[in-house]
Amino acid sequence: ETGVTQTPRHLVMGMTNKKSLKCEQHLGHNAMYWYKQSAKKPLELMFVYSLEERVENNSVPSRFSPECPNSSHLFLHLHTLQPEDSALYLCASSQDYRRNTEAFFGQGTRLTVV
Amino acid sequence: DQQVKQNSPSLSVQEGRISILNCDYTNSMFDYFLWYKKYPAEGPTFLISISSIKDKNEDGRFTVFLNKSAKHLSLHIVPSQPGDSAVYFCAASFSGSEKLVFGKGMKLTVNP
């Protein structure tokens, strides 16, 4: 149990669908992250939230929309995705955005866009 | 441009022997380095880290070595166990940013 829970674990969606990924952390951390892992590519940081404010947005297409209602929850809203968006989406949290600490990852959501 | 490189995609070792996983980086501003382990269908889990003020950090069977002049770090696992079979990611960051830059990962297989 890593303390970071992601739902759903698997998601198949059409290109016209709207879906949301959910992440919840029970570690009392202040920072939360969305990462994308595509085959044969490094983990790509998508979004960073610190104390519920977005602090980084790494040129992610607008069809991905994050939401952080509180420091324990993070959502990734998906709409009009493309097949190339199929990947493993990982949520992570860390104690403090500005300090060098390890991030704790959830198990990920395997997304397939058809 | 990849700032963190794991040039070998896979490694296979015998149980009980040493596993050495290598990682190179290009950004001299990096001052904190981490290794993560990932099993199939699971998220990465933190394994061990090292700050740039050190050249070695040891935790049980796992030791990370940092060579700043060569911009190189390595993870040594000894003795290797079949349960160590996983994908290992090297990551780096620098002070003032929690942005972890990951390598592509390296698959380690430990044969019984």
Side-chain angles (χ1 to χ4, degrees), chain B residues 6-58:
Chain B
Q6 294 177 260
N7 292 319
S8 300
S10 63
L11 173 69
S12 183
V13 300
Q14 282 300 119
E15 181 178 8
R17 306 293 291 269
I18 184 171
S19 296
I20 300 177
L21 292 76
N22 293 306
C23 179
D24 297 291
Y25 61 96
T26 57
N27 190 337
S28 57
M29 298 293 289
F30 289 141
D31 59 6
Y32 191 66
F33 304 90
L34 310 90
W35 284 94
Y36 283 82
K37 179 170 71 173
K38 184 181 183 301
Y39 292 117
E42 293 185 15
T45 55
F46 170 72
L47 192 58
I48 192 169
S49 64
I50 187 168
S51 165
S52 61
I53 62 172
K54 295 184 175 182
D55 53 20
K56 175 182 174 182
N57 188 26
E58 190 172 349

Side-chain angles (χ1 to χ4, degrees), chain B residues 3-4 7 9 11-12 14 43 46 59 62 64 69 73 75 77-78 81 88 90 103 108 110-112:
Chain B
Q3 297 187 67
V4 178
N7 292 319
L11 173 69
S12 183
Q14 282 300 119
F46 170 72
D59 183 2
F62 302 91
V64 57
S69 61
L73 65 155
L75 174 67
I77 306 173
V78 56
Q81 299 174 354
Y88 288 78
C90 172
L108 172 67
V110 180
N111 301 303

Side-chain angles (χ1 to χ4, degrees), chain A residues 64-114:
Chain A
F64 296 92
S65 174
E67 179 190 1
C68 187
N70 55 62
S71 59
S72 299
H73 294 85
L74 185 66
F75 295 90
L76 187 62
H77 303 301
L78 316 170
H79 64 96
T80 60
L81 294 192
Q82 304 297 311
E84 58 265 29
D85 296 322
S86 299
L88 179 68
Y89 289 84
L90 291 159
C91 173
S93 71
S94 69
Q95 187 172 14
D96 189 324
Y97 170 65
R98 289 291 172 188
R99 292 173 59 198
N100 280 335
T101 59
E102 63 269 23
F104 293 80
F105 285 82
Q107 293 179 298
T109 296
R110 174 67 63 184
L111 174 68
T112 304
V113 182
V114 298

